[in-house]
Amino acid sequence: MTAASALTAALIIGISLAVIGFFGPALLRHAAPALAKTPRLAATLLVGGILVWPTTLLALSLALAWVLAGPALLPQKAALVCEQCLTAANPFSVESIQTALPTVLLLVIPTVIAAMCTVGIAAQFMARVRCSRSTAARVQHEAYRRPLLGYNVSVVHDHRPWALTFSPRLGGITLSSGAIDQLADDELEAVLAHEQAHMDQRHHIVTALVDSIAAQLRWVPFIREAAEVLPDYLEIAADQQACRKVNTTALVRALLVLGEKKIPTGTIGSAAGTLFAAGPGRIPHLVGSSTGRKGYVPALAAGSQILLLGFVSVIVLLSYAIALLTGCSLP
């Protein structure tokens, strides 16, 4: 591979990054009809894109270190070790181009930025976990456990109908006495199946992780949009599982009774870390007619771009990982 072809490949990857990063929101909006049919696949696409975009940005900078060679900033022996590691990590035979940019900066700067982002994401994630625990403790304080239609749930005395779920460790399915009183048995079973789906599919972990990443990278339009629409697809996925256990009509009636999200009494601010069985806005997805192949082209376009970026990230990062694990020994 010549240096020119390597730079051309890097340029193509850079363009793909820009297309997904800045035009991705438009693709997601146009792909919504197709994605709503397969919400679990849609959620995988969104989470994968959120993880892949910054990873590819890091990998692109590391790959450029194989092509661009500049003045050495390190002492001579350290520079020789760095050059040996670069050579060992490079899976291609690429000619280098001399530039004014020191090669070591292409390694150090993105690595430091990635480390800082990782620390920030971890801090955000732990803060959300603590907030969820605090919310669950307040809601569960006066709740009592009871079996209900084959589910073990927490019941809170509140005349308003609402149902939500925490992660299993924080109490799981929780609903108000008003919901039990106002929902028919099949409607109640549909709500419980919906909430159980959230726990079965680990939606609490997914939302906490995605929100933590988005908090650090909201300047990327695709990541911001993906984080905002992801909860909708998780709710649709839970609806689909509930409808497989109970009929769709029962779930639609239950959503009408529950109405919009209601924060449990005694909870200050938003109910952090909770997923609600609420929102009449989802009813069109349950009773609407098929949209044919509408949205399939932008969905395939977005998916193929994310797969391409993911493939590039794996090739580059795996090459560096193998080199480091083998002591940067030359083949």
Side-chain angles (χ1 to χ4, degrees):
M1 179 183 290
T2 64
S5 61
L7 287 177
T8 300
L11 179 61
I12 293 173
I13 299 302
I15 292 174
S16 295
L17 271 174
V19 169
I20 287 295
F22 297 96
F23 298 101
L27 282 176
L28 292 180
R29 287 191 289 271
H30 286 91
L35 296 179
K37 294 180 180 179
T38 55
R40 295 187 68 176
L41 181 60
T44 301
L45 174 69
L46 295 175
V47 175
I50 290 171
L51 294 173
V52 162
W53 198 92
T55 304
T56 307
L57 188 62
L58 169 64
L60 182 61
S61 180
L62 295 177
L64 285 174
W66 296 334
V67 182
L68 306 180
L73 295 181
L74 299 174
Q76 184 176 8
K77 290 185 178 180
L80 290 175
V81 172
C82 182
E83 183 63 31
Q84 178 175 326
C85 287
L86 282 174
T87 304
N90 188 354
F92 310 105
S93 298
V94 182
E95 300 173 0
S96 61
I97 299 176
Q98 294 298 319
T99 67
L101 179 66
T103 304
V104 70
L105 294 182
L106 293 171
L107 302 175
V108 174
I109 292 177
T111 302
V112 170
I113 293 175
M116 292 173 60
C117 287
T118 300
V119 171
I121 290 169
Q124 287 279 348
F125 185 84
M126 295 308 299
R128 292 174 193 280
V129 169
R130 289 192 297 270
C131 191
S132 298
R133 288 175 180 170
S134 177
T135 301
R138 288 195 297 268
V139 174
Q140 301 282 348
H141 178 64
E142 297 182 353
Y144 62 94
R145 303 290 292 182
R146 60 164 288 190
L148 184 64
L149 300 177
Y151 297 87
N152 190 24
V153 304
S154 294
V155 180
V156 176
H157 288 294
D158 189 344
H159 70 279
R160 301 174 306 156
W162 52 262
L164 54 83
T165 181
F166 297 99
S167 66
R169 292 184 178 182
L170 298 181
I173 300 174
T174 305
L175 67 165
S176 67
S177 55
I180 296 175
D181 294 337
Q182 297 179 40
L183 292 171
D185 284 350
D186 61 342
E187 296 167 356
L188 191 56
E189 186 177 1
V191 168
L192 295 174
H194 172 97
E195 298 294 7
Q196 185 65 46
H198 281 313
M199 291 194 295
D200 292 343
Q201 297 173 25
R202 304 294 189 270
H203 290 170
H204 298 86
I205 297 176
V206 172
T207 54
L209 177 61
V210 165
D211 288 345
S212 300
I213 296 173
Q216 299 293 312
L217 299 171
R218 293 193 69 82
W219 56 272
V220 183
F222 170 78
I223 293 179
R224 183 173 62 248
E225 179 76 13
E228 290 176 356
V229 302
L230 176 64
D232 294 333
Y233 291 111
L234 297 182
E235 292 296 337
I236 295 172
D239 285 342
Q240 285 189 352
Q241 181 164 318
C243 290
R244 284 193 288 267
K245 294 185 177 181
V246 189
N247 63 76
T248 302
T249 303
L251 180 58
V252 170
R253 294 199 310 267
L255 291 176
L256 290 172
V257 172
L258 295 175
E260 298 298 337
K261 297 177 182 177
K262 301 179 183 69
I263 298 176
T265 303
T267 302
I268 301 173
S270 62
T274 62
L275 294 170
F276 289 83
R282 298 201 312 277
I283 292 177
H285 289 292
L286 294 168
V287 301
S289 57
S290 173
T291 56
R293 297 186 180 277
K294 186 177 180 181
Y296 275 68
V297 172
L300 289 173
S304 61
Q305 289 291 310
I306 290 172
L307 286 175
L308 171 64
L309 298 182
F311 177 75
V312 171
S313 299
V314 169
I315 292 294
V316 175
L317 297 181
L318 187 61
S319 298
Y320 274 98
I322 292 174
L324 291 174
L325 291 173
T326 57
C328 295
S329 57
L330 295 174

